[in-house]
Amino acid sequence: MKKSILLLAVMVFSIATFAQNTVKKSFSGVKRVKISTSSGSCEIKKSSGNTVEVELNHSLDERYFHPTIEQSGDRVEIGEEFNGRNFNGTIKWKISIPDGLRVTFKTGSGDLVVSDVNVELDAGTGSGDLEFTSVKGTLDAVTGSGNVELSKFSGEAKINTGSGNMNLSDSDGELTANCGSGDIRITQIKAEFSINTGSGNITGDKIALTGSSHFNTGSGRARITLAESAKFDIAINSGSGNAELNFNGNEIGGQVVMKASKEHGNISAPFDFDKTEEVENGGGRNNLTVVKTAQRGKGTNRIMLSTGSGDAILKK
C-alpha cells in the first residue's frame, strides 16, 4: 500500500513538473522588441495586424521560473528569470510582429527562427541554430557554434558562426558571412559578397555580383560558379586549398591575376597569359609564387584567384 502511494506521488510530481504552461499577451503601439533568454528558443513571424503578439509555452515549474513580458512606451521587453536552481524542461517563445520593427534577440543556447517579415534584427545565440526565411531588411546575427540557414532574404545581412556551417540561398542584397571553422554554401544569390571561413570550404553556385566581392578560406577549398559575367572585382583565395572560378559559359572579361606556389600548386585558364613572373615570399628561391596576368576584353574589373599551396583554376 505504501509503495502504491509513493508511486502515485512520484507520478503526480512528474506530471506537474512537465505540464505545459502557456502565456499569451498582445501589445499595440510597438516600435522595438527586446528578447533576452537563458535557453529558450524563439520563433518570430509576421502578425496579421499592427499588434505584437507574444505566446510563451514552457514545461517548467512556475514556482521557480518567472517569464517577464512588459511594455514601456513603444518598447516591449521579454525575458526569463530563475531563482538560481537548475531545471529540465522546454521554453519556446512565439512572437508575431508587424513590418518595420527593430528587434533584438539574445539567448545563451536557444534557437531562432524568423520568417515572412520586414525587420531590423540584431540576433545572438551562444550555441543555438539560426534560420531566416523570406526576411527583408537588415540582419546582424551571431551564433557561437550553431548552424545558419538563410533563404529568400533581401537586404543587408551580416552573419557569423564560430564553428557551425552556413547554407545561403535564393537571396539578394549585401551579404557578409564568416565562419570560424565551418563550411559555407551559397546558391542562387545576387549580391555584393564578403565571405570568409577559417578552415572550411566555400561553394558558390549561380552567383551574380552587384559589387566588389571576395571569397576567402584559410585552409579549405573555394569554388565559385557564376550566373553571369563578372562586371565587378572578384577575389577568390585559399590558404592551402584550390581557388576556382567557373564562368559557366559566360564571357570572361577584365584584368585577370592568378597566383599559386611554384612548388606546390598549378595555374590553369582557357586562354594564354600576357605575362608570367615569379615572386619570392621571404624564403628565397625555395619559396616562389608564380603570378600570371592577362587582360580579357576591355573590362576594368579585376578577377583575382590565389592560393598558398593548392591550384588556381579559371574555367570558361
Side-chain angles (χ1 to χ4, degrees):
M1 183 65 177
K2 289 182 179 180
K3 289 184 178 180
S4 298
I5 294 173
L6 179 60
L7 179 61
L8 179 61
V10 171
M11 291 176 63
V12 170
F13 177 77
S14 298
I15 293 172
T17 300
F18 295 101
Q20 195 70 24
N21 302 292
T22 300
V23 178
K24 293 183 179 181
K25 288 190 177 183
S26 179
F27 304 93
S28 60
V30 179
K31 294 183 179 179
R32 296 176 295 170
V33 177
K34 181 180 180 181
I35 309 156
S36 181
T37 76
S38 292
S39 58
S41 295
C42 183
E43 177 185 352
I44 299 174
K45 61 181 182 180
K46 188 174 181 178
S47 63
S48 58
N50 294 321
T51 58
V52 172
E53 309 291 335
V54 180
E55 178 180 337
L56 167 64
N57 293 284
H58 71 90
S59 59
L60 301 182
D61 191 326
E62 292 186 307
R63 293 174 298 174
Y64 309 113
F65 171 63
H66 306 287
T68 58
I69 310 171
E70 300 175 348
Q71 181 174 9
S72 177
D74 62 3
R75 179 171 176 165
V76 170
E77 294 195 13
I78 296 167
E80 299 172 354
E81 296 181 359
F82 299 84
N83 72 346
R85 298 179 60 181
N86 294 321
F87 299 93
N88 293 321
T90 59
I91 306 172
K92 294 183 179 180
W93 296 89
K94 294 183 180 180
I95 303 171
S96 301
I97 63 173
D99 286 338
L101 266 61
R102 182 177 181 180
V103 177
T104 302
F105 172 78
K106 302 296 179 184
T107 179
S109 58
D111 299 331
L112 175 64
V113 177
V114 185
S115 61
D116 303 305
V117 67
N118 190 331
V119 66
E120 182 181 344
L121 177 61
D122 183 354
T125 175
S127 58
D129 294 333
L130 301 172
E131 182 179 335
F132 308 99
T133 305
S134 298
V135 175
K136 295 182 180 181
T138 59
L139 172 63
D140 193 340
V142 178
T143 173
S145 57
N147 297 319
V148 178
E149 294 278 343
L150 182 143
S151 63
K152 299 179 181 179
F153 173 82
S154 181
E156 181 180 354
K158 297 179 181 179
I159 312 170
N160 183 82
T161 177
S163 58
N165 299 318
M166 288 191 189
N167 189 13
L168 318 173
S169 64
D170 301 310
S171 300
D172 62 81
E174 186 175 341
L175 183 59
T176 300
N178 181 75
C179 287
S181 59
D183 295 333
I184 302 177
R185 182 169 183 83
I186 310 164
T187 307
Q188 199 167 324
I189 294 183
K190 187 173 185 177
E192 180 178 342
F193 297 90
S194 177
I195 309 296
N196 181 77
T197 177
S199 58
N201 296 321
I202 299 173
T203 304
D205 187 35
K206 299 179 182 178
I207 301 301
L209 307 182
T210 60
S212 296
S213 301
H214 70 266
F215 304 82
N216 178 76
T217 174
S219 58
R221 178 194 68 244
R223 184 174 60 196
I224 303 299
T225 300
L226 298 176
E228 58 187 42
S229 294
K231 297 179 177 62
F232 299 90
D233 292 351
I234 180 171
I236 302 173
N237 177 73
S238 174
S240 57
N242 291 346
E244 179 180 324
L245 177 61
N246 189 339
F247 272 75
N248 196 28
N250 296 291
E251 182 182 358
I252 302 174
Q255 301 171 354
V256 179
V257 180
M258 302 179 67
K259 300 179 181 181
S261 167
K262 181 178 181 180
E263 182 179 0
H264 303 290
N266 292 292
I267 295 174
S268 63
F271 50 77
D272 294 329
F273 289 93
D274 301 328
K275 182 180 180 180
T276 299
E277 58 183 328
E278 296 180 357
V279 179
E280 293 185 7
N281 292 321
R285 300 295 299 175
N286 295 323
N287 187 16
L288 296 177
T289 294
V290 177
V291 181
K292 295 187 177 184
T293 58
Q295 176 66 46
R296 303 294 295 173
K298 297 181 180 179
T300 58
N301 57 300
R302 197 174 201 199
I303 301 166
M304 176 171 283
L305 282 74
S306 59
T307 173
S309 57
D311 295 337
I313 305 166
L314 193 152
K315 296 181 177 180
K316 178 69 167 92

